[in-house]
Amino acid sequence: MPQQKDIVKIAIQMPGAYPQLIQLDQKKPLSAVLKEVCDGWNLPGPENYAIQYADGVQTYITESNRLDIKNGCILRLTKAPGRCAEDLFKGIQSSDSGVRCDSLKELASVSTDVTFAQEFISRDGHLLLVKIVEDSNESNVIMTHTLISFMELMDHGIVSWENLSSVFIKKIAGFVNAKSTDASIQQVSLDILESMVLSSHSLFLQVKQEVTMERLIAHIQVTNQAIQTKAMALLMALLQTAADSERQEMFAFMNKNNLRQYIHKNILHCSGSVQDEMAHYLYVLQSVTLNHLEPRMRTPLDCYSQEQRDILHNLRQAAFETESENSLSHERRRSLCAKEFKKLGFSNNSNPGQDLLRTPPGLLALDTMSYFAMRYPDAYSRFVLENSSREDKHECPFARSSIELTLILCEILRIGESPSETGSDYHPIFFSQDRLLEELFCICIQLLNKTWKEMRATQEDFDKVMQVVREQITRTLSSKPTSLEFFKSKVNALNYSEILKLRQTERLHQEETLAPPVLELKERLKPELLELIRQQRLNRLCQGTMFRKITQRRRQDKLWYCRLSPNHKMLHYGDVEEDTDNPPIETLQMKIPVADIKGLLTGKDCPHMKENKGKQNKEVLDLAFSITYDVEESSLDFIAPSRTDFCLWTDGLNVLLGRDMSSESMRSELEILLSMEIKLRLLDLENVPIPESAPIVPKPPSNYNFCYDFSHTEQ
């Protein structure tokens, strides 16, 4: 006798027959279940049939995924995946072009299922698709279906990309390079090339050789947003896979054609998910471009390098006009150099290279100082001479400040961090400037000197000044300046007194030191306001949220939607199309009873984060959460679209589980509500009466002669 938890009540459909309502025993083999279903409709040969979901993504039911079936699911009887694969394999080889086209169209649809894909590939069906592409004798419609089918099959990772022939790669690249190719073919071809590039360096080299940068840029500059997006994806894949020398060559070509500026300008004309996708590629482009500075950042100064020692001495000589050093004795020259390096702000004035052994910022600090001295010699000399003439205790050390400032800029710009799979937070200023780090340094080192004077700082205040400068830079960049001039004017307007005012304002908002009666009132109000937040969270879960599935091949693939039922008893979810907006709950074919939910996991504890251990950065971890439910080792895994959605969902799920909400969003909202409510309650203390009901609206005046008549034109 099977246990109750092993029984699932489902309906199975078949065209032209009444549905069967059955109690599926999860302990019984699927072959036995299929035999019973076929017997119910008097169908011979149950081995020729399979069951799959009737709605949404029509996945085949197998022994490995059968535990996902929930009470109330609607399934349908269909051809077995092996039989379906055999029929399509024959149809593709038909002499009738109509049959070939229909077979390939159906193949493009069913290839998303891994069970079918395994059957089709086991018959070498993918090689048949490769031959169709290599021969290139079919119509554009058939070729499009062929390429889509091939892409879907390869996406399962059953066959290695490296098994593809050079003829096939040349054909795909030819579709991209051709100026008159069908747009649908070019779109899928760009997709295929992106996957090739990401799969191995050898394929990267072949694709880079076959696809010219000129054609790739031409695709980015077309009006077709789908082509633009796919071309950007391929460009980002090429940049991320390229070796340093290859990447520098590509950057040079992009700069020559003002591609960065064009891409940033173009995103303003995109909309919806295309804009989100393009924003991600801008973020990746910024990250990959800035990361070419990482080797310098990780490399300490080599005291035996004559070139690096010459740069240090050039810094000294650019700041101080000295008599000819050749006429000085060795000891006199050493003494003079030590004195001047001390004025420059080096801690180890006898051997200044020691200051640059710290990594990061390593040699990058030497690069930024040298750039400032050569690009803005007047500003450089003014900074050094002004501080070397001050009293020792108030001088701002240029070298020490430069090293620390370079490190701060590296951290703010995230130099050395791999781009996130979902990141989209880029700096518009990057797309107007080829040497962003160096130019920002030149502005910020002068800002640092200005802030130092405003704070009347001494050497003991160094860390405090650097904290203020970091805050000035961070606050200004958060306003998304689009040019260096805009950044410079905003950051200089944010002086030390303004920073103090902002800190004071923020402190007042977070103030917790209240009088005992007010604290008591606060505690009395808290349960009521927490209940208000709880209801808001549940309502938000009932509205639902659209999530993106993350795959290893590319950042975003399919969309799915999840929402809570109005009675708070079921979580409904399912795959949806990109243009779907707030799908009805009936269309979400999968569901989990809230009573079956056992736990909520976040961050690195989530199963989908453990699977990709070492590949996820902090940004993705901060958005990841999972719910575990009754079925053994089962979980529903999420990556929230934003931190706000993460807080709303984790709070709402905690409410459903009878636990306390713990997100920073909840704490912030609770403080705001408490502050507002306490202020309203304290109005009584100021003799301000609060009416029990709304005041009566007075009668309108007898005339409106007191109003100015704008209908008369003034003479």
Side-chain angles (χ1 to χ4, degrees), residues 2 16 100 151 380 536 573 596 605 620 654:
R100 292 200 305 276
M151 188 71 231
Y380 171 68
Q536 186 270 339
Y573 65 97
D596 288 352
D605 295 326
V620 176
N654 274 323

Side-chain angles (χ1 to χ4, degrees), residues 302-551:
D302 181 2
C303 295
Y304 296 99
S305 168
Q306 187 61 46
E307 179 188 358
Q308 294 171 18
R309 288 162 60 189
D310 288 345
I311 295 173
L312 275 173
H313 282 286
N314 289 339
L315 280 174
R316 178 182 62 82
Q317 290 168 350
F320 306 105
E321 291 183 9
T322 58
E323 56 188 289
S324 176
E325 296 178 4
N326 294 330
S327 61
L328 299 177
S329 65
H330 179 69
E331 288 301 321
R332 176 80 178 105
R333 188 170 181 272
R334 282 189 60 182
S335 175
L336 178 64
C337 289
K339 182 180 178 182
E340 291 179 346
F341 276 127
K342 183 179 181 182
K343 288 182 178 180
L344 266 178
F346 284 95
S347 302
N348 193 326
N349 54 299
S350 61
N351 187 4
Q354 293 291 320
D355 289 25
L356 294 163
L357 294 178
R358 173 187 173 194
T359 59
L363 287 176
L364 206 51
L366 183 61
D367 295 340
T368 53
M369 286 190 282
S370 179
Y371 183 88
F372 180 46
M374 291 188 295
R375 184 82 170 81
Y376 304 99
D378 292 341
Y380 171 68
S381 298
R382 188 164 54 250
F383 185 113
V384 176
L385 295 175
E386 179 184 305
N387 284 287
S388 61
S389 62
R390 286 185 194 170
E391 297 179 30
D392 287 347
K393 64 176 183 178
H394 286 297
E395 63 185 17
C396 178
F398 171 75
R400 184 185 177 194
S401 301
S402 297
I403 294 167
E404 190 65 28
L405 177 61
T406 304
L407 177 61
I408 288 173
L409 288 172
C410 288
E411 291 172 351
I412 292 174
L413 297 175
R414 298 181 178 179
I415 296 174
E417 290 186 25
S418 298
S420 157
E421 292 178 349
T422 56
S424 59
D425 185 19
Y426 65 92
H427 298 294
I429 193 175
F430 166 78
F431 296 91
S432 66
Q433 181 54 239
D434 291 337
R435 303 194 68 171
L436 179 63
L437 176 74
E438 292 88 341
E439 290 293 341
L440 282 181
F441 173 85
C442 293
I443 293 171
C444 295
I445 192 65
Q446 295 175 79
L447 169 73
L448 191 153
N449 189 38
K450 174 173 167 283
T451 303
W452 187 282
K453 289 186 285 187
E454 290 169 354
M455 295 178 66
R456 298 183 59 79
T458 63
Q459 294 291 336
E460 289 75 20
D461 300 316
F462 182 83
D463 291 338
K464 189 188 296 183
V465 175
M466 298 312 298
Q467 287 174 6
V468 173
V469 171
R470 179 191 287 270
E471 191 172 341
Q472 289 170 316
I473 298 169
T474 305
R475 287 182 183 273
T476 304
L477 285 177
S478 67
S479 66
K480 302 295 181 184
T482 54
S483 66
L484 278 174
E485 292 73 21
F486 187 30
F487 173 82
K488 185 176 181 179
S489 63
K490 289 214 53 161
V491 79
N492 280 300
L494 195 61
N495 55 37
Y496 180 52
S497 61
E498 285 297 317
I499 290 290
L500 290 178
K501 287 177 185 177
L502 288 169
R503 287 178 174 178
Q504 178 66 15
T505 303
E506 291 167 0
R507 196 176 299 118
L508 287 173
H509 282 300
Q510 300 171 354
E511 196 173 66
E512 296 180 359
T513 310
L514 299 171
V518 178
L519 284 173
E520 184 180 342
L521 175 61
K522 189 176 180 180
E523 291 302 315
R524 287 175 56 189
L525 292 171
K526 195 174 288 186
E528 179 184 346
L529 297 178
L530 279 171
E531 181 58 27
L532 184 67
I533 296 174
R534 277 193 284 268
Q535 290 303 317
Q536 186 270 339
R537 296 298 195 260
L538 292 175
N539 290 340
R540 184 64 184 79
L541 264 61
C542 289
Q543 293 174 16
T545 301
M546 189 175 290
F547 299 88
R548 287 189 180 273
K549 292 183 178 178
I550 306 298
T551 68

Side-chain angles (χ1 to χ4, degrees), residues 41-60:
W41 280 314
N42 296 319
L43 296 173
E47 66 276 2
N48 293 320
Y49 295 93
I51 51 177
Q52 63 182 181
Y53 290 105
D55 302 317
V57 181
Q58 296 169 356
T59 308
Y60 281 103

Side-chain angles (χ1 to χ4, degrees), residues 533 537 663-674:
I533 296 174
R537 296 298 195 260
S663 74
E664 66 264 26
S665 178
M666 180 279 297
R667 291 192 292 271
S668 172
E669 290 170 22
L670 180 61
E671 281 302 313
I672 291 170
L673 291 171
L674 280 171

Side-chain angles (χ1 to χ4, degrees), residues 25-26 28-30 61-69:
D25 182 1
Q26 292 286 28
K28 185 182 292 185
L30 267 182
I61 304 299
T62 63
E63 292 290 354
S64 61
N65 66 14
R66 64 184 293 173
L67 293 180
D68 295 335
I69 302 173

